[in-house]
Amino acid sequence: MKPTAYVFDAYGTLFDVHSAVRRHAGDLGPQGQQLSQIWRTKQLEYSWIASLSGSYRDLWELTKDALDYAFAKVPSADPALRNALLDAYWQLDCYPEVPTVLKTLKDSGARIAILSNGSHDMLGAAIRSAAIEPLFDAVFSADDVHCFKTDHRVYELVTTHWRCYPEAVLFQSSNRWDIAGATNFGFNTVWINRTKEPDEYPQHPPRLILPSLEGLLTTS
């Protein structure tokens, strides 16, 4: 069945979460990549713990805490760069194919949306920075239900708003755990496996695995 709606995760799927650190790579030195990886890993971990424990705080607060942990873990990185890195996170680079893919899908008549753990403020800033704001019919934030993916209430934001069945949605994410959660909810899913990672959740398989979003234009 051809999807009537294409829904995209934001961070890691549309926007490169490591671009904030790359902008300051010269100042951070050789440990910058390690800092970026720890920052992202802790950000995700904090979101899962927040949902499981019922102690929700929005993703921006968790992002700041995760960066503080990363600096503590990588003492060679200068913590004076904290504010610069946080500012850069509001204007993450989008992946090169994103504008063309979104415009082509929208021109075909499909509905286009974001479904993200990010707050509306974070997502709005990233979308405006990438100049892709007109391409979205909706932006769904986990902040609206005060829990994070993979809680079904987050995915349900889409089906409730558009009054559609889960199987009418094609959901794209680079995060395999997110794909597992969305598959379990009932979405048709596409894992954007940019870095050729092994499959962690074979019990919740995606409909497709693609190396980038460009494959959406040649695959139905």
Side-chain angles (χ1 to χ4, degrees), residues 131-171:
I132 54 177
E133 190 173 14
L135 300 177
F136 294 103
D137 298 290
V139 176
F140 302 106
S141 167
D143 205 33
D144 293 333
V145 286
H146 279 208
C147 60
F148 294 110
K149 304 172 190 174
T150 58
D151 193 299
H152 278 196
R153 287 173 290 176
V154 181
Y155 303 112
E156 199 171 44
L157 286 167
V158 176
T159 54
T160 298
H161 181 80
W162 277 339
R163 298 184 179 181
C164 65
Y165 291 108
E167 56 266 28
V169 173
L170 195 65
F171 177 73

Side-chain angles (χ1 to χ4, degrees), residues 171-208:
F171 177 73
Q172 287 67 224
S173 180
S174 65
N175 301 297
R176 185 61 181 92
W177 56 268
D178 192 11
I179 289 295
T183 299
N184 187 49
F185 178 71
F187 284 164
N188 284 296
T189 55
V190 180
W191 180 25
I192 307 302
N193 189 6
R194 297 182 183 276
T195 55
K196 300 181 180 178
E197 297 295 319
D199 193 353
E200 299 174 89
Y201 305 101
Q203 69 274 29
H204 298 297
R207 173 179 165 184
L208 291 171

Side-chain angles (χ1 to χ4, degrees), residues 2-6 102 104-112 135 137:
K2 186 175 179 60
T4 60
Y6 290 81
L102 295 182
T104 301
L105 293 174
K106 188 169 181 64
D107 288 347
S108 75
R111 290 181 289 189
I112 309 295
L135 300 177
D137 298 290

Side-chain angles (χ1 to χ4, degrees), residues 72-102:
K73 191 72 172 177
V74 186
S76 62
D78 185 358
L81 292 167
R82 179 182 188 269
N83 288 341
L85 290 174
L86 291 174
D87 287 345
Y89 207 91
W90 286 80
Q91 297 181 328
L92 294 173
D93 297 338
C94 72
Y95 288 100
E97 79 276 14
V98 166
T100 297
V101 169
L102 295 182

